[in-house]
Amino acid sequence: MVEPTGLRARKKARTHDAIADVAITLFLAHGFDQVSVNDIAAAAEVSKPTLFRYFATKEDLVLHRFAHHHGEAARVVRDRQPGVAPLTALHRHFRAGLDRHDPVTGLNDHPEVVAFHRLAFTTASLVGRLTRYLLDGEEALAAAFGSGIEARLRAAQVLAVQRVLARTNWQKIADGRTAHDVHPEAVADADQAFAQLGSGTDDTSRDGS
């Protein structure tokens, strides 16, 4: 009997998530470099070839948690309301993320999230892959801004600002403060950062706001 396509997809998604969850649990407990792919496959009760069908590299087992944010800034710019400047849309989006304590903003004090960020930010091979991930996002955002060197510079500046803001928030929480306590500072930092970005660009002249 042929398995329905929808059921196959759901089973694959469950297997994908189960393998990644096992891997991250092991990484958090023992460290990324101390856990082998064989360890993960054994703990997830799958073969090594099966694991690699879902994740091309060991680093992908961690970075898949960022996957739904891939190209997010570009989507925010493309989907903004008429009359809203790109930087305004990006600023509002980041502020909304702070308000809901979205982990991608660094403003989340759940112990597993803090530990996950420590893993991602302090493991050399993961930092390298995150850099590649950010460069992909930068290219997408530049395309959403337009073309030429101005668009590329603006995209690089925006993503650098978001990265610094997120790392700053995470570091404060990693030092023992709560997300609730850090929130007003995170909002003020974001407002200042985007204001500085806006003062350096002619953001309103092209976008009708």
Side-chain angles (χ1 to χ4, degrees), residues 29-101:
H30 305 291
F32 183 82
D33 294 326
Q34 283 66 49
V35 177
S36 70
V37 172
N38 286 333
D39 294 332
I40 299 164
E45 299 182 338
V46 298
S47 68
K48 190 173 176 180
T50 295
L51 186 152
F52 280 124
R53 282 203 298 271
Y54 287 91
F55 298 95
T57 70
K58 184 180 170 184
E59 287 77 14
D60 289 336
L61 287 156
V62 175
L63 298 184
H64 90 98
R65 287 197 174 183
F66 293 98
H68 65 289
H69 288 291
H70 193 262
E72 185 172 62
R75 289 193 295 273
V76 169
V77 171
R78 289 195 301 267
D79 297 343
R80 71 190 190 280
Q81 295 297 313
V84 176
L87 284 183
T88 300
L90 290 163
H91 184 190
R92 290 174 180 172
H93 183 76
F94 193 86
R95 281 283 303 268
L98 293 175
D99 291 344
R100 64 176 181 269
H101 293 181

Side-chain angles (χ1 to χ4, degrees), residues 149-164:
I149 188 63
E150 181 183 354
R152 297 189 68 85
L153 289 172
R154 293 170 75 192
Q157 290 167 344
V158 167
L159 293 188
V161 160
Q162 291 184 344
R163 174 176 53 80
V164 170

Side-chain angles (χ1 to χ4, degrees), residues 133-202:
Y133 172 91
L134 290 172
L135 288 174
D136 291 342
E138 181 183 307
E139 291 180 6
L141 181 56
F145 277 147
S147 61
I149 188 63
E150 181 183 354
R152 297 189 68 85
L153 289 172
R154 293 170 75 192
Q157 290 167 344
V158 167
L159 293 188
V161 160
Q162 291 184 344
R163 174 176 53 80
V164 170
L165 290 172
R167 282 294 297 268
T168 300
N169 295 336
W170 168 77
Q171 188 61 63
K172 290 177 180 179
I173 290 172
D175 289 341
R177 298 175 64 188
T178 67
H180 181 269
D181 179 44
V182 174
H183 181 268
E185 297 170 21
V187 169
D189 287 346
D191 290 349
Q192 178 183 349
F194 277 95
Q196 288 183 211
L197 279 175
S199 68
T201 63
D202 189 15

